Amino acid sequence: MRISSSTSSSRIGMSRGWLCAAAVAMALVVASPGRADAQCTSWPTNTTVNPGAPFSDTINVSGLAYGTYIITASFSGSAGLINLAFSAAPGVSWSNGTKGFIGSATTMYLSFIMAPGALPGRNSTVNLSVTNTLGQTVCSSSFVVSVAGDACPADVVFNGSTVDATFDGANCYVAALPAGDGSPFMHNNNYYVTRGPNNACEAGWFDGANCYLGTAPSGKSGFFWGSAFYYSP
């Protein structure tokens, strides 16, 4: 005679129940938009654009779970980008101006124009993203766009050497305060330090009162800030 065990039956039922729950959970993961391994390739990299010139690039997206996706592009900074456009093909555009695509892959197109009056050396950061309808970021990237040209073309003869000033994003850096005991200051657009404790110029040349280091370029305003000498771009 074969006697069935209620304990064994219970365990078998629990095992089947666990397998069923796991299968449902797996189905939900696969069906959830954006959960597949997305491949967003060909993102733009940092670049330099001439004032008034156009810029365009493409980004390929593949490997997504089939669904609806939203794409966005924005920028911040001082470069002055005009007509920033970001679209997908095939793509959709909703009545509120939001753009995106439906499916598992697409090609996105980015374009803008550098403002004709953009000043050399200025830059802006462009941010791009793809999100699903749940607001989850599928993939994103950013890159820096700089305005072509030398923002600080005028050299400065400073402490006996010709200095090619460099743009720091806001002003033209000339040189650090020379080592010594003198205090820095500006007078008539000239760079100076006071004489040291020995009443001598440890840097620059004595002009009868203080130690002259150099002069800001014509038409530019020289200044001292944060232990360095500068001039306005």
Side-chain angles (χ1 to χ4, degrees):
M1 177 184 295
R2 182 178 180 181
I3 302 175
S4 61
S5 170
S6 59
T7 301
S8 299
S9 299
S10 176
R11 287 177 178 174
I12 293 172
M14 290 176 63
S15 176
R16 288 176 178 174
W18 181 87
L19 290 174
C20 182
V24 171
M26 181 63 70
L28 288 174
V29 169
V30 172
S32 179
R35 290 300 183 131
D37 292 332
Q39 296 180 10
C40 301
T41 61
S42 306
W43 289 113
T45 56
N46 295 350
T47 187
T48 300
V49 181
N50 290 316
F55 172 90
S56 62
D57 209 336
T58 59
I59 303 98
N60 297 312
V61 182
S62 62
L64 299 176
Y66 189 94
T68 299
Y69 297 91
I70 298 167
I71 63 174
T72 59
S74 63
F75 75 92
S76 60
S78 57
L81 308 185
I82 299 175
N83 297 337
L84 178 66
F86 195 38
S87 60
V92 293
S93 180
W94 290 276
S95 58
N96 62 358
T98 302
K99 295 182 179 180
F101 61 95
I102 299 174
S104 59
T106 192
T107 298
M108 300 181 293
Y109 296 88
L110 171 72
S111 64
F112 59 80
I113 299 173
M114 182 64 73
L119 298 176
R122 271 52 174 187
N123 59 73
S124 288
T125 300
V126 179
N127 300 295
L128 308 170
S129 69
V130 179
T131 59
N132 60 25
T133 54
L134 300 177
Q136 299 168 322
T137 299
V138 175
C139 52
S140 63
S141 184
S142 64
F143 66 102
V144 177
V145 182
S146 300
V147 185
D150 189 355
C152 304
D155 294 340
V156 176
V157 177
F158 185 89
N159 200 23
S161 300
T162 300
V163 176
D164 181 10
T166 56
F167 188 63
D168 69 352
N171 293 286
C172 300
Y173 170 85
V174 176
L177 174 67
D181 298 310
S183 299
F185 69 98
M186 299 294 302
H187 178 67
N188 288 337
N189 219 28
N190 296 319
Y191 305 115
Y192 283 95
V193 290
T194 58
R195 287 175 289 173
N198 295 323
N199 207 30
C201 291
E202 298 177 53
W205 295 268
F206 184 60
D207 68 351
N210 293 285
C211 305
Y212 169 79
L213 294 171
T215 301
S218 177
K220 305 296 183 179
S221 297
F223 63 95
F224 179 84
W225 183 82
S227 76
F229 290 96
Y230 294 83
Y231 69 79
S232 60

